[in-house]
Amino acid sequence: MKGPNYSATELLARLVNFDTTSHKSNMALVRFVEDYLAQRGVACQLVVNPEGSKANLFATVGPANVPGVALSGHTDVVPVEGQNWTSDPFVLAERDGRFYGRGTADMKGFLACALAAVPDFQRRKLKVPIHIAFSYDEEIGCIGVRPMIAEFGNNFVKPRIVIVGEPTSMTVVDAHKGPVRWQVDIEGRAAHSSMAHLGANAITAAGNLLGELRLIEKELMVAPRDDRFDPPHATLQVVRINGGTATNIVPVSCRVDFDLRALPGVDANIIDQRVRAFVARECLPEMQQVAPEARISISIANQVPPFAAGANSEAVALALNLAGQNETHAVSYATEAGLFQDAGSPSVVIGPGDIAQAHTADEWIAKEQIEKCSGFLGRLADWAEN
Ligand SMILES: [Zn+2]
């Protein structure tokens, strides 16, 4: 029944082989992990998406129905299209102490270390179980993990601690920003440009809104501030505009997308309400005087909560202890940690590889990072035994 034991490097090679770009299925990878664990007598539970094309995987080593430490990672990777790779991105290549391949840093390196550690976890007499929690669709807005988190406290035990193994070069990250993306669709009324008074100009309304968004942006630069972040404040900016049809037509429609990177403590709902109130007060009435059918719809296209572990986090204390460090870091990129933390599982981010390599052509992870992570997980097992 028992399959061969694989090193983290061998597992990394296998995982990189699966092209799990977010828009593709991750089921082949999930089946591989399921088989690997089943051969060791570890049962998996899957949370499959409605289409049946993707799944989260949850498994427990050690006592059942006891809240344990979850090793969390996403199985999906970003596309390689348009990137100039030296070798096949889906075949692990070793050069100069580095492993090259899509997802090596972000974040199949961590998945491989976690899976490679399972036989060691099984040899121990774990008092605190160790969970494997692998998600899908992280790269497109931390979408996939949400139905798995919804199972915590229901079909799955809610983890006592979540270690999110995103690439931090094995340093301890206890805070990150939360991205929120809005989509604003403005519909006015078209008219011949020479008859401007007969139309409701959607771009003019968008211009009003841009002014307000700039005000919010400036306010966010002042407060709240946290010098651990770079930049040390929340940012808000318009990231895309589409509007108008021709130079001789009053623009009937305009779409504005804007992006917030919220510091922990910045409430996106307050910004959402402010924008809605501004639009209702300053943009729509003017348009509706001419065109009663004018509409402005505002929606949040995606939202990932910011993450702050807080001062007395058991997760952070454990990670610092296992990593032999005494300093934590804050980062500007988002992870699933905010979602876990908000769902009631104290979380921390620490994983092998450098975020600077993530999403790049010739993405790589240093061999030494894999070794460091494996050492960290060995010490986690020591801790979980006692
Ligand atoms: Zn990632």
Side-chain angles (χ1 to χ4, degrees), residues 151-314:
E151 295 290 351
F152 289 168
N154 295 309
N155 287 321
F156 304 168
V157 63
K158 179 183 288 194
R160 170 174 149 189
I161 286 174
V162 177
I163 295 174
V164 178
E166 291 277 359
T168 65
S169 304
M170 292 307 293
T171 65
V172 178
V173 166
D174 66 349
H176 66 62
K177 291 183 180 179
V180 188
R181 291 183 196 105
W182 278 267
Q183 175 177 337
V184 182
D185 287 291
I186 305 171
E187 295 295 326
R189 181 188 285 181
H192 193 282
S193 311
S194 65
M195 291 290 164
H197 62 291
L198 300 180
N201 189 319
I203 292 181
T204 302
N208 273 340
L209 173 60
L210 261 50
E212 180 70 3
L213 293 177
R214 178 74 175 138
L215 277 180
I216 299 172
E217 180 186 356
K218 285 182 172 167
E219 289 173 23
L220 288 172
M221 284 177 187
V222 179
R225 287 181 74 92
D226 184 339
D227 285 327
R228 297 205 309 146
F229 287 93
D230 178 26
H233 51 76
T235 55
L236 183 140
Q237 62 189 323
V238 175
V239 287
R240 183 162 55 186
I241 293 187
N242 253 314
T245 38
T247 50
N248 58 357
I249 303 173
V250 174
V252 63
S253 66
C254 185
R255 174 174 163 177
V256 176
D257 294 346
F258 65 98
D259 169 272
L260 168 72
R261 298 293 164 131
L263 222 57
V266 169
D267 188 345
N269 289 323
I270 291 174
I271 293 174
D272 186 66
Q273 285 160 19
R274 176 166 164 185
V275 170
R276 286 173 193 278
F278 178 84
V279 160
R281 194 178 65 242
E282 304 293 336
C283 302
L284 204 50
E286 197 180 330
M287 298 178 82
Q288 288 183 331
Q289 271 176 18
V290 178
E293 76 276 21
R295 290 283 177 274
I296 300 178
S297 84
I298 300 169
S299 56
I300 292 179
N302 189 252
Q303 181 168 13
V304 178
F307 166 56
N312 300 308
S313 163
E314 189 196 4

